[in-house]
Amino acid sequence: MPKKTVLKQFLIWRAKHISQRQFVYFLSIVLGFTSGLGAVTLKNLTHFIQHFLEGNFVKYYHHAFYFVFPIIGFTLVYLIIKYIIRNKVSHGIPSTLYAIAKRKGIMRQYQMFGSILTAPITVGFGGSVGLEGPTVATGAAIGSNISRMFHMNQTTRNLLVGCAAAGAMSSIFKAPIAAIIFAIEVFSLDLTLASMLPLLLASLSAILTSYFFFGDDIILPFKIEDEFHFSDAPFYMILGVVAALVSIYFTVVYDRIQSFFDTISSPMKRVLIGGIGIGILIYFIPPLYGEGFDVINNLIAGNPEKALTNNFLGLDTSNFWTVIMLLCGLIVFKIIASALTFGAGGVGGIFAPTLFMGSLMGHCFAKLVNYSSWLNSSISESNFTLVGMAGLMAGVLQAPLTAIFLIAELTGGYDLFIPLMLTSAISFSIAKSYLPHSVYTMELGRKGELITHDKDHAVLTLMDIKKIIETNFIPLNPKMTLGDIVHQAVVKSNRNIFPVIGQKSDKLVGIILLDDIRPIMFDQTLYDNVLARDVMQNPPEIIDLNNDKMTDIMKKFQDSGAWNLPVVKDEKYIGFISKSKLLTAYRRQLINITN
């Protein structure tokens, strides 16, 4: 039986026997399972590549292979994208946000496997990024395509994309509550009972899948031993300020390096420049290789020396200032290594580099406080290492609740809720005042295409400008006579406004309202003497299709008081947008996202 016939019969059966809500619950469980499988696949492929390379080439040959691996990895990724996937594989979470904001939650089929083919090679061959972004992108693409297969509407599709993303985070970090908060906070999903239960089911399904394949193995195997003391609160507050400053450094460096690579048109040039750059960094600073969770675990366990023994200068890691210098160097260069990885065409996530730098920052801060003897008793270096991760996540990702619950769940550190909240809130507040958008949302935010929890802004962002442009207006040219205007435009048109277009171009030079010519349109003695340019006027506002966002268009209607405004693209006339059609489209979109 043909596939389409089977699917059609199932959809008919489902409509008769299973309610929409029950079916969404079922799909959320399925998506949690598939997201969990995606996480398992990505992690195992990556670890297999790393074990093979580090276990044979580096161990039995020479440390210099660290320099070569990234170039090989980026080249393989480039070839896979060009000849196998044949489509651009964008960064995981930003590409998902773009799909929600501008593609009605629709993600193309290749996105279901694009990251699985490229991210393990990127990270396995030394790319200094994480796997969480590709895992989320894979799960989200599966969610999008499954929802399309079952003909879900846009609102349900976005919810299922969020469920898949929550499942991916739950599986990879084994933090089901943080995963739900992540989906709500980062993807701006509405926190309602209708959305909460599917997110919960997806997160639960994914973590059970992860436990089935990985057992009790977790990324940060650590339990809190040192209690929080009220006397430590000022230091956690200072750590929040430091985290905000490092967050700003992180975001600015990342943005500038990405902007530099955007100016390079040749993919192979990007591969070479990025590959050589990351190769040099990894050769001299081996802890920058891959995700870096081994370094984080050593810091939490109070053994930073283990992560620094391979420093290229052979420095003595028993010296306090040597350790501080090396740890600060890792903080400075980690984001450079990550940005070079992305610039070279690597596929990965920014989550792991954020945790890496945050742990180093918190550990350095605690060491300096203890060394300076500001306190009669020392502060807990392991606790500050953990809280530092949350502080940097809150500033860089601008997701403070996700940061708080993720670190608490990863480590069982619920006793640290107060310091986690203190540091994250301060870091987020300061970083947000300087950086309006996170590394995930920078590009979309600059274009005004970012979905937010502001319902009005979300509705405007989801509206498609092109669908509300009307083109049934009869254009005039400046030299047309009044007689021609009456016989060729007024008589034939059911509109009361006419665009005046340049004779040698499609450039809009003015508009004529029916009210402008009504006093003279019946005086035939003026038919040959009055030209269009004599009675035309400048439009109160002009909508630029290339630059104006929907919020700008609404403001132009509000400020001008006009009922119709002309639309241009590259200075050429396109059509008109009417206030009535705009408001009708707004109302329809509002109904769609609130049902």
Side-chain angles (χ1 to χ4, degrees), residues 449 465 543-549 567-571:
E449 297 174 346
I465 298 176
I543 297 170
D544 188 338
L545 199 58
N546 288 333
N547 300 315
D548 286 343
K549 303 180 286 290
V567 182
V568 300
K569 182 178 181 181
D570 301 324
E571 298 186 348

Side-chain angles (χ1 to χ4, degrees), residues 3-129:
K3 181 180 177 181
K4 289 185 177 180
T5 304
V6 173
L7 178 60
K8 185 177 180 180
Q9 288 182 346
F10 173 77
L11 291 173
I12 294 171
W13 177 87
R14 198 275 297 178
K16 291 180 179 179
H17 297 90
I18 304 176
S19 70
Q20 174 76 356
R21 178 175 295 184
Q22 291 172 333
F23 193 57
V24 169
Y25 293 163
F26 169 74
L27 288 181
S28 64
I29 295 172
V30 172
L31 288 173
F33 174 70
T34 55
S35 296
L37 287 180
V40 169
T41 304
L42 278 163
K43 288 175 71 174
N44 282 338
L45 285 175
T46 303
H47 293 162
F48 171 77
I49 293 171
Q50 287 179 335
H51 178 74
F52 175 74
L53 296 178
E54 292 183 324
N56 293 301
F57 285 98
V58 175
K59 182 177 180 181
Y60 295 111
Y61 290 89
H62 198 275
H63 183 70
F65 274 103
Y66 274 123
F67 175 78
V68 180
F69 286 156
I71 299 178
I72 297 173
F74 297 149
T75 302
L76 290 174
V77 169
Y78 167 71
L79 294 174
I80 290 171
I81 291 174
K82 184 175 181 180
Y83 295 107
I84 298 177
I85 301 174
R86 298 183 180 179
N87 281 284
K88 181 180 179 182
V89 180
S90 302
H91 300 334
I93 294 172
S95 66
T96 307
L97 288 170
Y98 178 80
I100 292 174
K102 302 307 295 180
R103 292 181 55 85
K104 299 181 179 180
I106 295 174
M107 301 180 72
R108 299 175 66 181
Q109 291 183 354
Y110 77 86
Q111 291 176 287
M112 293 190 291
F113 59 85
S115 294
I116 292 178
L117 294 179
T118 54
I121 295 175
T122 299
V123 178
F125 277 83
S128 197
V129 289

